[in-house]
């Protein structure tokens, strides 16, 4: 077999990761998992950045018209005030790091959180409308929730049904 240098090309990051328990250099991260992990990192950075901005400039959310929309998408429509926004940002970043490292708990966490959001927002978006209850009053809120539902459905279905996922998040050394 050789020293390992013949099987794959060393990089500084690969050398660093290869000494950590649980890292298997022969398991490749599927590209969509990489995209989802990057999305989690961006979302975490945004949530933490907004938390810091609101800490120092409390009225900033009212002065920037796009900020409430992006916050609504990143926080899945949750009313995020006070200490909940940085906690949500840290959690999202932690899950992103777990996805990057192909940790099974990160996959399960993402499946549970996206499934939960699909049920909650799907009920508000579809069932409440049929019952005549209007939770989402403006077209802006309805479009935002439709976009969040679509993204969560894609992530949920990918993490549950895609063939490469069990292999990637499966057996570890």
């Amino acid at each position: 077999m050789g020293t390992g240098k013949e099987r794959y090309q060393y990089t500084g990051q690969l050398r660093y990761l290869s000494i950590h328990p649980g890292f298997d250099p022969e398991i490749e991260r599927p590209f969509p998992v990489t995209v989802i992990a990057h999305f989690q990192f961006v979302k975490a950075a945004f949530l933490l950045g907004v938390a810091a901005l609101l800490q120092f400039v409390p009225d900033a959310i009212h002065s920037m018209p796009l900020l409430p929309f992006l916050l609504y998408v990143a926080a899945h429509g949750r009313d995020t005030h006070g200490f909940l926004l940085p906690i949500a940002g840290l959690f999202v970043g932690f899950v992103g790091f777990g996805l990057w490292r192909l940790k099974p708990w990160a996959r399960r966490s993402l499946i549970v959180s996206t499934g939960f959001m699909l049920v909650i927002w799907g009920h508000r978006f579809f069932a409440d409308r049929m019952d005549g209850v209007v939770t989402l009053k403006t077209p802006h809120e309805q479009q935002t929730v439709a976009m969040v539902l679509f993204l969560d459905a894609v992530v949920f279905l990918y993490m549950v049904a895609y063939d490469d996922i069990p292999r990637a998040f499966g057996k570890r050394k």
Side-chain angles (χ1 to χ4, degrees):
M1 279 302 252
T3 62
K5 290 182 182 179
E6 296 146 5
R7 291 186 309 178
Y8 56 89
Q9 186 177 15
Y10 273 108
T11 64
Q13 182 182 16
L14 192 54
R15 243 187 243 130
Y16 170 76
L17 292 174
S18 65
I19 62 173
H20 285 77
F23 179 75
D24 186 353
E26 295 189 15
I27 294 178
E28 291 184 28
R29 183 182 326 103
F31 179 72
V33 173
T34 302
V35 170
I36 293 168
H38 281 284
F39 180 69
Q40 294 289 100
F41 295 143
V42 168
K43 193 163 69 166
F46 174 76
L47 290 171
L48 292 172
V50 169
L53 177 70
L54 293 177
Q55 181 67 31
F56 297 111
V57 186
D59 293 332
I61 199 159
H62 302 295
S63 63
M64 298 179 209
L66 192 58
L67 189 62
F69 171 75
L70 293 174
L71 185 59
Y72 198 82
V73 171
H76 285 83
R78 296 181 210 140
D79 188 19
T80 51
H81 293 289
F83 68 93
L84 292 180
L85 194 58
I87 289 173
L90 290 173
F91 174 74
V92 168
F94 191 63
V95 170
F97 182 72
L99 289 172
W100 186 262
R101 295 289 309 271
L102 297 175
K103 298 293 184 183
W105 62 262
R107 175 183 175 225
R108 288 188 299 267
S109 176
L110 192 61
I111 288 171
V112 167
S113 67
T114 56
F116 182 71
M117 295 317 306
L118 284 171
V119 169
I120 296 296
W121 284 108
H123 182 267
R124 286 188 181 165
F125 193 74
F126 297 111
D128 285 356
R129 186 178 290 172
M130 287 183 211
D131 293 340
V133 177
V134 182
T135 304
L136 307 169
K137 295 174 179 65
T138 66
H140 179 265
E141 287 177 341
Q142 293 169 359
Q143 292 168 354
T144 304
V145 169
M147 184 175 67
V148 169
L149 280 171
F150 175 75
L151 290 174
D152 278 348
V154 168
V155 169
F156 181 81
L157 289 173
Y158 176 75
M159 286 294 178
V160 168
Y162 194 67
D163 293 341
D164 284 351
I165 291 296
R167 182 183 60 79
F169 285 92
K171 276 188 148 179
R172 314 296 279 180
K173 280 189 173 181

